[in-house]
Amino acid sequence: MDVFRITGGYPLRGRIGVGAAKNAVLPILAAALLAGGPVDIQGFPALSDARHMVDILETLGCRCRVGDGQVHIDPEGAWGWEMPQELSKKLRSSIFMMGPMLGRFRKAVATYPGGCEIGLRPIDLHLRGLAALGVKVREAHGMIYCDGSGLRGGEVHLDFPSVGATENLMMAAVTAPGNTVIHNAAREPEIGDLQRFLNALGGRVSGAGTGRVLVRGVSSLGGASFRPMPDRIVAGTLLIAGAITGGQVAVEGARPADLGAVLDKLRQAGCGLEEEEDRVTLTAPARLRPVEVSTQPFPGFPTDMQAQIMAMCCVAQGASLIVENVFENRFAHAAQLRCMGADIWASGRMCLVRGGKLTGAKVAARDLRGGAALVLAGLAAEGVTEVEGAGLIDRGYEGLERMLGGLGARVERI
Ligand code: UD1
């Protein structure tokens, strides 16, 4: 198993750019199945999750070519409406294929998806939403059988603004006859990117970024060339890398409009921030101050940044409080941070972090963002840290060791 070995104590300095957002690319890849012509995705990230999604498209009969930072998808000959089981176990986002399969073939068979172990992560909102669009859903023997012969526009009320359910329903609805309204839709910026992509194909989607998404069904779609948005979570992680090491970093592709809640916490921690439309420059204070963080759907503080900010709180001067409201089991990194000397008290969805010193240790990534947090902790720790499970971190960071190394960190993959 790959391991990141980090020698702590080097302040990060310099300028770095971030690539396309994993959470924008995955639903866009799924939506390519709906296209009526070739799709080119520019700035295609070398992430294992994105590669798995392309593998799924190929298994369904799409012709795909990956290279030169692009992926070309020709969905014309696609014939598959049954999710390959092995691949869907590897990737929770495989569930995104249901909407496009229903849109294109009016039927879909899927298994329960895999992905990071960060909570129960049910898919009831996806299935109830599809049912509201006229899809007959039957679950048996761990499989989900969907009959979309009656697929049509409808009104969906989500109990919780689920990102995945909002996207899946947008994709199912885009070629369904009639209008669909998704109420209590998630407002994450990646939903806006999916809307832009569907509209580039010829769809008629509006309202992304608000709690009410309207999809006016069209009878067919074309192809498109598209560049997905930069990754706000990678950008946020790099800013924290600057903060936790007492450094100064400029992150290109960090859009303040997408990072508001994160920047607010960094400012409260005492960081200096210079914000431009597409770039944020962070200057760390001599000593970080503690913060109170409560994760929420966008525009609240993102759950995907909770682990990284916890690493930062471990070296702040005073006690920080972190509440995880989105996933019920997302503190696996807390136990690992304790191995590095962190003083963390955890109960249910809450963690109290008393800031102090971190020391290098052998720790293990349990999930993608928690793994990134351990690397950040290693940057600030005294001595050498080894983070086992680099493969989990590769799901969402394109060569984290190269990115951090470019800023002066001592990180190697062994
Ligand atoms: C997406 C992101 C993930 C991020 C999460 C929350 C992608 C590929 N992944 O995941 O990185 O952490 O949003 O911002 O975009 N839920 C249900 N029933 C459902 C669906 C969700 O109860 O049918 C619950 C989940 O268990 C979780 C909460 O809703 O507690 C949020 O999940 P959701 O917004 O759907 O996250 P994902 O789309 O899986």
Side-chain angles (χ1 to χ4, degrees):
M1 189 183 269
D2 276 8
V3 170
F4 281 132
R5 181 191 279 152
I6 307 122
T7 308
Y10 295 91
L12 300 200
R13 292 196 190 286
R15 181 176 297 246
I16 178 127
V18 299
K22 169 179 88 78
N23 288 354
V25 168
L26 295 176
I28 286 170
L29 285 173
L33 184 68
L34 287 163
V39 169
D40 283 301
I41 297 174
Q42 323 282 331
F44 184 66
L47 298 173
S48 51
D49 275 14
R51 184 62 239 189
H52 286 142
M53 202 69 176
V54 171
D55 292 344
I56 291 176
L57 287 172
E58 282 181 327
T59 312
L60 300 178
C62 296
R63 285 207 315 255
C64 305
R65 211 172 50 238
V66 181
D68 295 334
Q70 280 197 33
V71 59
H72 175 84
I73 301 159
D74 182 355
E76 202 194 353
W79 46 267
W81 40 273
E82 236 177 278
M83 277 294 301
Q85 288 199 25
E86 273 317 298
L87 287 168
S88 36
K89 294 266 175 256
K90 283 189 187 156
L91 185 66
R92 177 173 165 88
S93 308
S94 58
I95 195 68
F96 290 144
M97 294 306 308
M98 288 182 86
M101 284 196 283
L102 283 161
R104 172 131 182 208
F105 301 115
R106 296 299 194 255
K107 52 190 169 183
V109 178
T111 46
Y112 281 90
C116 278
E117 300 298 332
I118 54 174
L120 292 172
R121 303 190 91 174
I123 53 168
D124 55 316
L125 301 174
H126 297 243
L127 300 184
R128 283 216 303 275
L130 290 173
L133 302 186
V135 176
K136 289 199 187 92
V137 180
R138 190 168 61 84
E139 295 173 73
H141 312 294
M143 305 287 286
I144 306 156
Y145 300 89
C146 296
D147 169 1
S149 51
L151 178 71
R152 38 137 185 84
E155 300 259 332
V156 181
H157 295 264
L158 294 176
D159 289 343
F160 180 88
S162 154
V163 176
T166 303
E167 293 170 337
N168 221 345
L169 295 169
M170 285 163 72
M171 295 188 280
V174 70
T175 57
N179 293 345
T180 294
V181 183
I182 307 171
H183 299 276
N184 199 24
R187 293 185 278 163
E188 270 66 4
E190 291 76 12
I191 289 168
D193 229 36
L194 178 62
Q195 170 175 294
R196 280 188 286 282
F197 178 67
L198 291 172
N199 290 345
L201 295 178
R204 294 175 67 204
V205 186
S206 57
T210 74
R212 182 181 180 275
V213 173
L214 169 64
V215 185
R216 294 186 178 90
V218 297
S219 53
S220 65
L221 296 169
S225 177
F226 193 78
R227 179 175 287 276
M229 61 181 276
D231 198 309
R232 65 192 165 101
I233 305 301
V234 173
T237 304
L238 292 168
L239 289 171
I240 291 189
I244 205 170
T245 59
Q248 183 176 56
V249 295
V251 181
E252 311 272 354
R255 296 180 177 167
D258 296 344
L259 276 162
V262 174
L263 298 183
D264 201 45
K265 290 299 155 191
L266 289 170
R267 211 174 285 116
Q268 282 174 29
C271 298
L273 293 172
E274 206 180 296
E275 298 176 28
E276 290 156 80
E277 196 184 329
D278 222 15
R279 176 175 46 211
V280 176
T281 306
L282 175 142
T283 308
R287 199 70 214 263
L288 288 159
R289 287 198 293 265
V291 288
E292 278 153 26
V293 174
S294 155
T295 67
Q296 302 287 347
F298 193 86
F301 189 91
T303 172
D304 284 353
M305 287 297 301
Q306 176 259 107
Q308 301 89 314
I309 202 127
M310 188 185 294
M312 189 184 92
C313 293
C314 292
V315 296
Q317 199 162 30
S320 298
L321 191 62
I322 297 180
V323 182
E324 172 56 62
N325 291 305
V326 179
F327 290 104
E328 69 278 5
N329 181 20
R330 206 173 190 179
F331 283 146
H333 44 278
Q336 301 295 309
L337 289 168
R338 276 199 203 113
C339 297
M340 300 178 68
D343 180 354
I344 303 175
W345 176 84
S347 173
R349 289 176 178 260
M350 201 187 295
C351 273
L352 178 71
V353 185
R354 293 189 188 88
K357 256 186 158 181
L358 291 171
T359 48
K362 285 193 180 180
V363 289
R366 302 280 186 226
D367 59 74
L368 159 57
R369 306 300 170 188
L374 296 176
V375 173
L376 293 177
L379 297 175
E382 211 177 85
V384 176
T385 298
E386 287 189 4
V387 182
E388 191 183 283
L392 273 172
I393 300 173
D394 293 337
R395 297 182 67 153
Y397 296 87
E398 237 179 314
L400 187 57
E401 73 277 32
R402 261 184 290 110
M403 287 193 258
L404 295 172
L407 294 169
R410 304 285 195 275
V411 185
E412 51 179 339
R413 186 186 289 259
I414 52 172

